[in-house]
Amino acid sequence: MPARCPRIGLAHRRPAEFVGAGSYGRNVNRTGRLYALVEELRACAPRRRSARELASLYEVSARTIERDIGALQEARVPIYADAGRTGGYTLDKSMTLPPLNFSPAEAVALAVALGQVNVGPFEGAARSAVRKIVAAMSEPNVIAARDLAGRVRLLEPVVAPQSVPVPSVIEQAIVARRVLWICYLDRGGNLTERDVEPIVFMAGPSGWYLVGWCRVRDAARCFRVDRIQQAEVSGVTSPPRTFEEIAPCIPDLVARTPVL
């Protein structure tokens, strides 16, 4: 058994040649066959399909199927093989996404939401997500979505307020639940070094804040992101703390969680 691959999502934008698996022939190009192989293995998982069965289905040689499976595994698609007479190929359905069917309006709604908050934590990840959504859509829906997006405008102020992106190192600390070392410029102009257990990001009237447990002060603190002069992720795991535990320590705090 090969080593397990990290969780991935396979883009399911079907090429123009894509048709039902049973109607494949030798005239279908390799890209279409690779997409079909993944969908066939997903559909029958956890049962296995042998190279001979797949070769018969797609009217190619077993050697061609083996090369195709090898190419998909190199692309980190979680396909596993068992040797022997009862062996074959299977796909780990828990580590891939099924085809995503976003409507043009849904895709534009997500792009609009991103455009209204274009600076903040996970900004790069949000842009990447929109690209993946577009890649997963059918060509007609992509065309319709782009046409619809052309009928939407986001007004910007003549003098845009200064906004500071959230450094990726702080994002990493939140995601990995690691203690973060920061050099912080407080409101009095003093530089201090802190070891902080990051808990949440918070958007406020003055920009984004990192809310965490300051190990120097032994208390919950809000750190304005634009005042963090330097930051490094340590190898120390933060103890489990919830926002509800530390919220009473921060006066005049009213916060809500984004809906997913």
Side-chain angles (χ1 to χ4, degrees):
M1 290 280 287
R4 282 187 168 270
C5 302
R7 181 180 297 271
I8 63 170
L10 182 68
H12 292 278
R13 177 178 173 182
R14 300 189 175 199
E17 303 86 1
F18 195 94
V19 292
S23 59
Y24 263 89
R26 292 180 181 275
N27 61 331
V28 176
N29 67 20
R30 190 187 189 209
T31 300
R33 190 173 63 249
L34 291 176
Y35 277 99
L37 273 171
V38 172
E39 288 310 309
E40 176 65 23
L41 292 175
R42 183 199 306 282
C44 69
R47 292 182 294 109
R48 288 162 169 73
R49 298 298 299 269
S50 69
R52 181 175 298 178
E53 290 173 321
L54 294 170
S56 175
L57 182 63
Y58 300 114
E59 299 180 20
V60 294
S61 68
R63 180 58 183 156
T64 296
I65 292 296
E66 290 169 359
R67 285 196 296 265
D68 287 348
I69 295 293
L72 289 168
Q73 290 174 328
E74 287 180 9
R76 305 184 75 182
V77 178
I79 295 175
Y80 306 106
D82 285 338
R85 294 180 59 185
T86 60
Y89 300 108
T90 188
L91 182 141
D92 189 343
K93 298 171 72 171
S94 69
M95 298 182 73
T96 65
L97 293 175
L100 303 177
N101 298 309
F102 284 89
S103 71
E106 289 171 335
V108 171
L110 291 171
V112 168
L114 174 61
Q116 289 177 318
V117 187
N118 56 7
V119 174
F122 312 111
E123 175 193 0
R127 286 198 302 268
S128 174
V130 170
R131 288 195 297 270
K132 289 179 180 179
I133 288 169
V134 172
M137 295 169 65
S138 67
E139 191 66 27
N141 277 354
V142 171
I143 294 172
R146 286 174 176 159
D147 177 72
L148 179 57
R151 288 176 270 144
V152 177
R153 295 291 185 275
L154 303 176
L155 294 179
E156 297 181 355
V158 176
V159 180
Q162 183 180 8
S163 54
V164 178
V166 175
S168 61
V169 66
I170 303 179
E171 295 179 5
Q172 294 167 17
I174 283 277
V175 171
R177 295 184 180 272
R178 295 288 188 270
V179 174
L180 187 69
W181 172 86
I182 63 172
C183 181
Y184 189 70
L185 183 67
D186 65 22
R187 69 181 65 184
N190 303 307
L191 279 174
T192 59
E193 295 185 19
R194 315 283 187 98
D195 287 324
V196 179
E197 300 168 12
I199 299 173
V200 297
F201 279 122
M202 185 172 65
S206 300
W208 284 94
Y209 292 80
L210 172 66
V211 181
W213 188 265
C214 176
R215 291 188 165 187
V216 174
R217 300 287 186 261
D218 196 28
R221 289 290 186 271
C222 291
F223 300 97
R224 261 178 52 176
V225 168
D226 61 343
R227 289 181 178 165
I228 297 177
Q229 307 299 298
Q230 292 177 269
E232 293 179 8
V233 179
S234 75
V236 180
T237 301
S238 297
R241 297 183 192 272
T242 66
F243 180 73
E244 288 70 25
E245 290 178 49
I246 59 98
C249 305
I250 305 172
D252 304 322
L253 179 62
V254 177
R256 60 185 176 86
T257 300
V259 178
L260 292 178

